Amino acid sequence: MNFKTIFKSLKNKDMLKRIAIILGLLVVYRFLAHIPVPLGEPTTFQEAIQNLIQKSDFGSFLNLISGGGLTAFSILLVGISPYITAQIVVQLITKAIPSLEELSQDGESGRRKISQWTRVLTVPLAIVQSIAYIFILYQSVIASNTALAYTPTTADWMLSVTAMVAGSIILMWFGELMTEQGIGNGISLIIFTSIISQLPTTLASLGSALFDTSAGTLSLFGWINLPVNPAMFWIILIFAIAILVVIYFLVKLNEAQRVITINYAKRVHGNSAYGGIKSILPLKLIAAGVVPVIFATAFLSLPALLGQFIQTVNPEGTFGTTLMTLFTAPSASNFSAMYPNGITAQWFFYPAVYFLLVVMFTYFYTGIIFNTKEIADNLQKQGAFIEGVRPGLQTAEYLGKTINRLNLFGALALGLIAMLPFLTDYIFIIVAGAPMGLSLSGTGLLIVVTVALENIRQLQSRALMVTYDDYR
């Protein structure tokens, strides 16, 4: 990364304007994340949300990418998940229906139509998710025998759902406005900001535990006593080193790629010759990015959410309880209640299924976004070929074998990254007898690193365009 070029581009007024627009929208987004849903007592529903998050790994993930909007019971409770879901659905349908695939390849007009359909689909998805969240939260409050100051009317329900849908649409609009600035993907920037916004709270809790000297102070070789908790000091130091190591390997995995040399046939037209040059086709090790982890988390959380819904409606039944027990991620908050006798075979069920789903979705999503037949056809039309491989079908087969080999290592690496929270908890259970609340969030780190690298790359491209005249 050439940061010198980026700093030099800040002298350009247009560049500063684009950055100011993005920063301004992110600041407004953080303000909106603290506006509560207009439904009775927000504090009562916040307690229900805390209970929901403890019982559902997907709830924790939603709270992470919404920047705490879930725990704050804000109008951004639904967040951008409807827009992301709409994008995934439209992308899958586009690949499944040939006429829509042709439309997506029909230049800017085709892409605009598909983008408009994505926006339209976002609205009903946001309505359904808002109603589902409100219903589950309200039933959770009733099931906990918490007294409500009043019973919400139909108008109250409609106002709350409308506010949540409006918050989701505003976030979608903010994301598209940021993307138009040409410095990064707006939706990714919102998710990035949401995760980063949780750091002050985490650091504050760590600082409070670190400077709690009720258990003694740290002695450095008997020379000086530091006013810090000895055990917490070493835990934080080890975790800081572990996080740096994980970030290093995440960067390497994200940037790793297999470079295939492409040759262009030399052509003679009259007295002029063209072609006969070489180019490259880079194949990323993890072409699917963080999408398989999001898919796996969402897919695996559905049985737990269904179990919670069944248990809320029918507290006497055992089916809902079984679903919640099997498909709830083991963590520090629920370990003592779910596993009073320590680690059992059931403890490994959720992590094992999670790992398998990440691997499966990595292959699935890579197959969608990387169409080997289409790439082979495009190379053949351009008079390009891979040395030692025939154009057409053999090129497609060669690319398919190559991407499958990359996927094998990439999917396993992505699965291990997603398993970091469980691995760290397992280590602390062996050492201390109980999991630790501060687990390494592989998903959060992966999103932060991936988005940061991609946006810095786009920022550098924009900076090169702005400062191009200086190099002429």
Side-chain angles (χ1 to χ4, degrees), residues 80 84 111 113 118 145 149 153 187 215 218 226 269 280 340 378:
I80 55 172
I84 296 175
R111 285 191 290 270
K113 287 182 180 178
T118 304
N145 296 321
T153 63
I187 301 301
L218 177 66
L226 297 179
H269 185 73
I280 62 170
N378 290 335

Side-chain angles (χ1 to χ4, degrees), residues 162-240:
T162 302
M164 293 167 63
V165 172
S168 181
I169 301 302
I170 289 173
L171 274 191
M172 177 186 70
W173 180 47
F174 280 6
E176 293 190 347
L177 287 178
M178 293 180 198
T179 304
E180 289 176 3
Q181 305 310 311
I183 299 180
N185 183 277
I187 301 301
S188 299
L189 280 172
I190 290 175
I191 297 176
F192 177 86
T193 306
S194 301
I195 297 173
I196 294 298
S197 67
Q198 305 296 303
L199 284 180
T201 304
T202 303
L203 293 177
S205 61
L206 285 176
S208 177
L210 178 63
F211 292 103
D212 181 11
T213 57
S214 59
T217 58
L218 177 66
S219 176
L220 291 179
F221 308 106
W223 298 342
I224 186 174
N225 287 332
L226 297 179
V228 295
N229 186 299
M232 202 65 196
F233 174 81
W234 293 114
I235 289 174
I236 292 177
L237 181 62
I238 293 171
F239 266 84

Side-chain angles (χ1 to χ4, degrees), residues 66-101:
S66 67
L70 190 58
T71 53
F73 193 56
S74 77
I75 59 173
L76 301 184
L77 190 151
V78 177
I80 55 172
S81 57
Y83 185 54
I84 296 175
T85 305
Q87 284 184 321
I88 295 171
V89 170
V90 170
Q91 193 173 24
L92 292 174
I93 293 176
T94 301
K95 291 295 182 181
I97 303 176
S99 58
L100 292 180
E101 188 172 7

